[in-house]
Amino acid sequence: AQDAAMEAAQARALAAVEAAEAAAEMQQKDTALLARLRYLRGKACASTADGQGSAEAETLLADAVKLDPLLVDAWNCLGECFWARGEFPLAMHTLKGALAHRRDPATLCKLSQLLRAMGAREAQKGDAQQKEKHLVEARKMAKEARARARATRRPAQFVGPRNSSAR
């Protein structure tokens, strides 16, 4: 029942994206909108078990990145697509490409997780030195992700007094 509901939601989302794509392609002026629509279609495709890591999802997400290289969400989803196929070096390269445009906490977190997975893979191969290298870099990425996430929430923490005696 849950699978049927997910498929129905995906079909509705894809129909909305198709309608928006048709309108945007008529204008051919707003590449940021076209990029966003390709990203949404690619993300919808990658959200299914069959579509995760598929060539279709990869193509749509790669098109989104080409149309708007600043669309970090598309970079992240493309990296996840490669990761799902077990193409760890390509996934790492893609996520680092996203970081070249913006040091986003979500990207840093995904890269940290990927590096940990790469470390685990190296451990299985018996390469302790490579494992340690990946884990050190993963910790560095996770630390930066936490710091950047805190920095974006910090202004809200200082609104108003901290306790009732400060009034």
Side-chain angles (χ1 to χ4, degrees), residues 87-125:
E87 298 178 22
F88 288 18
L90 190 52
M92 184 170 65
H93 177 74
T94 303
L95 292 172
K96 286 184 175 184
L99 292 176
H101 294 286
R102 189 174 79 220
R103 304 290 290 184
D104 183 65
T107 306
L108 290 161
C109 186
K110 286 180 193 318
L111 187 55
S112 175
Q113 292 169 343
L114 175 65
L115 288 163
R116 289 174 197 275
M118 290 173 76
R121 180 184 267 187
E122 295 301 329
Q124 288 176 345
K125 292 179 184 177

Side-chain angles (χ1 to χ4, degrees), residues 48-108:
T48 66
D50 294 338
Q52 190 177 23
S54 71
E56 180 184 5
E58 177 187 343
T59 300
L60 289 163
L61 294 165
D63 287 349
V65 166
K66 288 174 192 168
L67 287 167
D68 184 1
L70 300 178
L71 188 54
V72 172
D73 290 336
W75 284 97
N76 289 346
C77 200
L78 183 58
E80 289 175 353
C81 187
F82 294 132
W83 186 355
R85 291 197 309 235
E87 298 178 22
F88 288 18
L90 190 52
M92 184 170 65
H93 177 74
T94 303
L95 292 172
K96 286 184 175 184
L99 292 176
H101 294 286
R102 189 174 79 220
R103 304 290 290 184
D104 183 65
T107 306
L108 290 161

